[in-house]
Amino acid sequence: MISYPSIDKLLEQVNSRYSLSVLASMRAHEIDDGDAKMLNKYESPRSVGQALEEIADGKVKINPESILSERNAEKVERIEEARLEHQEDIEHQKSKNDN
């Protein structure tokens, strides 16, 4: 669970939790790969925390022309949730049939 920056502060910059997690993950990978850091000082020693701090500060934003826009990100999230539910149903049926 993150305490800094607050989720409220982060959602002022990115309006969906899914998009926030994708953006933070992408930026953390960039930091891990040696990209330049965008802040002078970080509270977090970990790249994910540093990415979240950069997002909260407005240094990292979603490119509105990106293929994975907010709308697409939410659509992907719904599809993934449906896929997981379907997989759970299949596993439940298998275990029911095995007994």
Side-chain angles (χ1 to χ4, degrees), residues 22-54:
V22 170
L23 184 61
S25 173
M26 290 173 68
R27 179 61 187 138
H29 284 292
E30 291 174 352
I31 291 170
D32 288 340
D33 290 341
D35 280 15
K37 295 185 178 181
M38 298 181 178
L39 300 176
N40 293 327
K41 182 178 182 264
Y42 293 90
E43 297 289 323
S44 177
R46 298 176 52 212
S47 59
V48 172
Q50 292 172 1
L52 290 169
E53 290 178 49
E54 291 177 354

Side-chain angles (χ1 to χ4, degrees), residues 1 17 24 28 48 52 54-55 66 68 73 80 82 91-92 96:
M1 180 176 189
R17 290 174 189 258
V48 172
L52 290 169
E54 291 177 354
I55 293 166
S66 171
L68 190 61
E80 181 63 15
E91 290 173 7
H92 180 72
K96 209 174 171 184

Side-chain angles (χ1 to χ4, degrees), residues 87 89-99:
Q87 184 64 33
D89 290 344
I90 290 171
E91 290 173 7
H92 180 72
Q93 283 295 76
K94 278 184 180 177
S95 68
K96 209 174 171 184
N97 291 338
D98 290 342
N99 292 329

